[in-house]
Amino acid sequence: MKVTAVYPGSFDPVTNGHLDIISRGSRLFDRIVVAILKNPEKEPLFSLEERKRILERATRRIPNVRVDTFDGLLVDYARRLKASVIVRGLRALSDFEYEFQMALMNRRLDSTLETVFMMPSETYSYLSSRLVKEVVRLGGSVEGLVPVHVAARLSKSLGTASGKTVRKGPRKRSGEKR
Ligand code: ADP
């Protein structure tokens, strides 16, 4: 039997942490559907359509991945897809309580759906879309934390030049020779 997994989230925007989970999931399941939640309570930086485009570009080299959007209950959406697994990423203990509640609620709503938690590489275990946006907003570099096209898109939206402030050493004082 082919196993379809659904990986839901906001992906505003996708980071290398999400991509780490997607590629691990793609090796484990026959098909993984990355499902962007239309959540009217959150005010995203990127529209649903743009998040989808960004994700499609970021995942185009992974063959068994599809990107989709959904609203309403995740369990209803998963049923429509004939998915039997929900994938979620666990970064630190701080993710655990919320994820635990969600997984048990989803199991209560549909006992045939299993939630599988996956850990990213430790390089990404502190990474979140929120933090990435904050760093770019303040003029910092997110090189290595998001795909290059995502960094460029973030800079465009948040009005900063991408990657301009990675400091390799102490800042030179004015008048100092280079
Ligand atoms: P949500 O709004 O549902 O938290 P996110 O887009 O922030 O949506 O995250 C979607 C899923 O990806 C969640 O399970 C989250 O824990 C996981 N995730 C987010 N960032 C990372 C990361 N850096 N490494 C691993 N998993 C992550």
Side-chain angles (χ1 to χ4, degrees):
M1 197 185 74
K2 295 230 185 243
V3 178
T4 298
V6 51
Y7 178 36
S10 312
F11 306 102
D12 184 39
V14 64
T15 68
N16 286 348
H18 294 125
L19 291 171
D20 180 296
I21 298 294
I22 294 169
S23 63
R24 283 171 206 281
S26 77
R27 279 181 250 128
L28 214 51
F29 307 109
D30 297 296
R31 196 164 75 115
I32 177 158
V33 180
V34 183
I36 313 168
L37 171 66
K38 196 185 209 168
N39 185 352
E41 278 170 33
K42 281 196 182 174
E43 256 188 47
L45 176 64
F46 297 111
S47 71
L48 204 61
E49 293 67 32
E50 185 142 32
R51 279 177 279 160
K52 184 165 185 268
R53 271 200 302 275
I54 292 173
L55 251 165
E56 277 169 345
R57 186 163 170 194
T59 56
R60 67 185 169 191
R61 288 206 175 82
I62 315 173
N64 51 341
V65 174
R66 189 162 72 80
V67 182
D68 195 15
T69 61
F70 77 105
D71 56 9
L73 278 178
L74 175 62
V75 293
D76 291 336
Y77 173 70
R79 224 176 270 139
R80 287 200 297 278
L81 283 179
K82 297 197 174 20
S84 51
V85 172
I86 298 171
V87 169
R88 294 288 288 177
L90 267 191
R91 286 160 289 190
L93 213 54
S94 50
D95 276 341
F96 181 76
E97 195 166 347
Y98 172 73
E99 294 292 343
F100 183 74
Q101 282 181 2
M102 286 289 292
L104 290 182
M105 180 55 81
N106 283 329
R107 180 182 286 170
R108 191 192 154 93
L109 294 170
D110 184 339
S111 61
T112 65
L113 259 178
E114 211 55 68
T115 300
V116 171
F117 293 107
M118 302 184 77
M119 280 191 293
S121 148
E122 61 270 25
T123 321
Y124 306 127
S125 59
Y126 62 94
L127 185 59
S128 68
S129 302
R130 185 190 54 78
L131 202 56
V132 159
K133 284 181 279 192
E134 208 167 301
V135 169
V136 175
R137 198 172 280 128
L138 297 172
S141 166
V142 289
E143 198 183 325
L145 302 180
V146 294
V148 173
H149 75 276
V150 178
R153 192 60 200 79
L154 276 165
S155 301
K156 196 172 156 207
S157 271
L158 297 169
T160 52
S162 105
K164 282 282 157 59
T165 52
V166 208
R167 290 205 191 108
K168 297 263 154 68
R171 200 201 279 228
K172 297 259 185 298
R173 290 207 196 88
S174 59
E176 231 176 342
K177 285 214 174 112
R178 296 218 159 229

